[in-house]
Amino acid sequence: MSAVHPPSSTEAPPTAGPPRNWWRGRSGLVLALVMVAFSTYLLYGVLTMAPTDNADIVGPAFYPTILLVLGYVLAALLILAYVRRPEPVERDAHTTYSDWAALAWCVGGFAVFAALLNVLGWILAAAVLFWCVARGIGSKRPLFDITLALLVSSIVYLAFAVLLGLNLPSGVLGGL
């Protein structure tokens, strides 16, 4: 039969884990801070933009204003979500890994986009970029992804070319 010995003075008492502080599980607030900084930069640009006399209903400040409002709204929602419910933190949260395949798909997609933008045109090159990023972040539906990519890139092309009058490369689709 073994005797139960009280812990000696050199042994540390068992702890329940690291001390809990307010910032624990709220690292996502950094993204909200970046979004606020970017939106503030856009706000400064819109406020200091020189007015144009030949602007239609949709002037040069229209799209940046939409982006800065959406940026502030999304940042506020992120802040609210992380303050109300922090992310759960595992005891051994120091193990990380890098997803090199996802990085390769995203960087490769951007490289193909930049290299072939003038040849393929905005619609096709942006669709290839969208598809590569979707593949990089784990999508397993290539037909759906390329269909959605063509739709989104076409809408962006129409918004910038028709509404704003900007010249985006039309590439091989230019004669259609």
Side-chain angles (χ1 to χ4, degrees):
M1 187 155 140
S2 64
V4 177
H5 299 289
S8 66
S9 60
T10 59
E11 293 180 20
T15 59
R20 181 94 172 133
N21 64 16
W22 190 86
W23 293 103
R24 188 168 175 82
R26 291 185 170 99
S27 61
L29 291 174
V30 173
L31 177 61
L33 179 65
V34 169
M35 290 179 72
V36 166
F38 181 73
S39 297
T40 304
Y41 175 73
L42 283 176
L43 178 63
Y44 174 76
V46 166
L47 292 177
T48 59
M49 186 180 297
T52 59
D53 294 334
N54 60 353
D56 293 332
I57 295 171
V58 178
F62 181 72
Y63 288 112
T65 303
I66 289 175
L67 289 177
L68 74 90
V69 168
L70 286 175
Y72 281 133
V73 168
L74 289 175
L77 290 174
L78 276 174
I79 290 170
L80 182 64
Y82 281 113
V83 167
R84 290 180 67 199
R85 274 176 268 133
E87 294 176 328
V89 179
E90 299 175 15
R91 288 183 63 89
D92 189 24
H94 293 79
T95 58
T96 61
Y97 72 95
S98 298
D99 191 354
W100 296 108
L103 180 67
W105 273 104
C106 294
V107 171
F110 183 76
V112 167
F113 171 77
L116 298 179
L117 179 60
N118 289 327
V119 176
L120 293 179
W122 172 265
I123 294 174
L124 296 178
V128 169
L129 173 62
F130 183 97
W131 182 80
C132 288
V133 170
R135 175 75 186 222
I137 61 175
S139 178
K140 302 291 185 208
R141 304 181 305 175
L143 184 60
F144 173 79
D145 294 339
I146 197 64
T147 304
L148 183 62
L150 286 168
L151 177 70
V152 170
S153 64
S154 297
I155 290 170
V156 170
Y157 181 83
L158 289 174
F160 279 87
V162 175
L163 291 177
L164 288 177
L166 297 176
N167 293 326
L168 294 177
S170 55
V172 297
L173 299 177
L176 299 179

